[in-house]
Each structure stands twice: as structure tokens, then as C-alpha cells.
Amino acid sequence: MTEYIITDNRGAVEKTLLRAGFLDIMKTPRWVLFKQEQRGDKSTKVPYSVNRNKANSTDPATWDNFYNVQSIFSKGGYSGIGIILGDYFGHKIIGLDLDHVCNALSGELELVEAARVVKKLKTYGEYSMSGS
């Protein structure tokens, strides 16, 4: 499974990940690019490797480290960066989807349970494409 990071600010993702203490994960080859593409009447995120071929979420040979992916992403042509979730290279990474837990105006967590979860985990968080 792949979790996608969408950003208009090319340096924001790196700063956020470094601030969260993820330097070791940034160096591991579990990162991909993605493009938002139409498949029929649905929009979907399609993963790509740094060699511009499609990446496979179950094939580590198609992944790279964050810095190589960021370098290609900064040149344009891609919608964002993705990280491969799961147990690879000595790091178990999971994704949590906490919908409708933030104040739409301030971005602050409003649900006590969600705040507890976020506080206990070494985590990186972002708003989804849907804004929830």
C-alpha cells in the first residue's frame, strides 16, 4: 500500500519529515512519485519510479530514497510523492486515516480521541485531498 503526499510547496514535505525525526526513513528506498490520472470516470493516483516508468507498490526495485524522488518531483510533471507502507528495510510504517477530526478553519484537532492517538505516535500528518 502507498500513502501519497500532495504539496504545492516543493520544500515543505522535506522540512516536515525532518522536523518529525524521519531522516532514517527518508534515506531508505521506499519512496515513489505519483501522477493524478483519469481511469474512465475516476481520478486515481498512479505511482512512478524515478526512471519515469510506473512503480509497483509491491516491488522495491521500483522505489527510491526520498532525496532522489524529491529531486525528480522538483522538476515538475508529477502530482506528488508517495511512501510505501508496510514492513520493509527494518522500518514498519503504517497509515492511519482519521477523518473529520479537525476544525476546518483552524486545522486543530477537535476530537479528544484523535488527539490522544496523534500524541502517542511518532507521526507525520497531513490533510487529505478531500480536506478532511
Side-chain angles (χ1 to χ4, degrees):
M1 179 173 195
T2 308
E3 178 63 29
Y4 297 101
I5 302 166
I6 301 167
T7 182
D8 291 329
N9 182 338
R10 303 288 190 217
V13 173
E14 180 178 10
K15 288 176 189 169
T16 301
L17 292 170
L18 286 171
R19 203 173 320 117
F22 291 151
L23 178 61
D24 53 341
I25 293 168
M26 293 167 73
K27 292 178 180 179
T28 62
R30 61 186 312 147
W31 299 88
V32 295
L33 300 145
F34 77 88
K35 290 182 182 180
Q36 200 73 36
E37 297 180 358
Q38 281 299 124
R39 286 196 181 152
D41 61 346
K42 280 180 82 173
S43 181
T44 188
K45 297 179 217 99
V46 179
Y48 282 85
S49 65
V50 294
N51 67 11
R52 305 195 190 309
N53 294 323
K54 288 186 179 175
N56 182 327
S57 65
T58 61
D59 182 2
T62 65
W63 314 338
D64 212 318
N65 67 60
F66 176 83
Y67 297 102
N68 291 339
V69 169
Q70 173 73 3
S71 175
I72 299 296
F73 177 65
S74 69
K75 295 174 184 171
Y78 293 93
S79 304
I81 296 172
I83 184 168
I84 305 298
L85 303 178
D87 188 0
Y88 299 99
F89 310 109
H91 297 281
K92 291 181 184 177
I93 298 179
I94 63 169
L96 298 174
D97 190 3
L98 304 173
D99 287 331
H100 311 294
V101 298
C102 293
N103 179 294
L105 297 175
S106 70
E108 295 296 317
L109 288 172
E110 290 186 321
L111 269 120
V112 174
E113 296 86 359
R116 256 188 245 134
V117 168
V118 170
K119 187 174 182 178
K120 285 188 177 196
L121 298 175
K122 179 180 176 184
T123 185
Y124 159 78
E126 67 181 35
Y127 295 101
S128 67
M129 290 175 66
S130 66
S132 63

